[in-house]
Amino acid sequence: MLDIHKFPCLNDNYGYLVHEPVSGETAAVDTPDAKKYLAEAERMGWKITAIWNTHWHPDHAGGNLAIKEATGCEIIGPAGEAAKIPGLDRAVKEGDMVDLGQSRARVLDVPGHTIGHIAYVFDQEHAAFVGDSVFALGCGRVFEGTMEMMWQSLSKLKALDPRTRLFCAHEYTESNARFAVTIEPDNTALREYAAWVKQRRAEGQPTVPPVLERELATNPFLRADLPELQAAMGHPGDAVATFAEIRGRKDRF
Ligand code: ZN
Ligand code: FE
């Protein structure tokens, strides 16, 4: 079993410390804010033994060196952007396994937001650390890859066990929900989800991690392969063009 500690960082990032109690090993998933991570680890009584980066953006790898200096931890990160990950010790890609004590995560390549973006999937624990690839009711902006690449990445995430919790890196859910209802105004599950999100945020509560099963029924970016949505977006039979249309609308939203 894993203890997963979540805490807000910077403006709208989440920090995650993943602790395996038998070994005592603790992974910092991304490093938006070194001070905050070190303070939270201390508060939990955990020692950070590894950093697991999802991609090179400064709100994900900016705290690497300070945390490594303070703890001597090993830094694991994406092979596809190894040169941009400060202090990288071990580059990983799809097919690789990363152990945290008795728990094991497999690495998925999920490029698009950045060209080497990876996710860490704990299959047994139904937990995936997905960085900026997918969000609750959203997905990352496609900065470095192509729309087709991003759709393929989201398709891999869609295929995980539907019970998987998606530990995404940002609390963007409320604005994502406002956008999603413009794409699927008649989706009842989405309407209910959006109302729940609004209430949670009004109470200052997080909406992350979402569960994949709910995202499959509501997140428009994961639904570009549905004939109804393809028709509504004007691209029947074309998931990539439908995804690109939705992504483009969100970028202008
Ligand atoms: Zn990013
Ligand atoms: Fe980010």
Side-chain angles (χ1 to χ4, degrees), residues 13 55 59-60 132 170:
N13 282 74
H55 67 296
D59 64 313
H60 298 263
D132 289 353
H170 293 272

Side-chain angles (χ1 to χ4, degrees), residues 227-238 241-242 245 249:
E228 314 88 83
L229 198 49
Q230 293 175 349
M233 294 296 113
H235 297 285
D238 192 335
T242 301
E245 174 65 27
R249 290 192 192 189

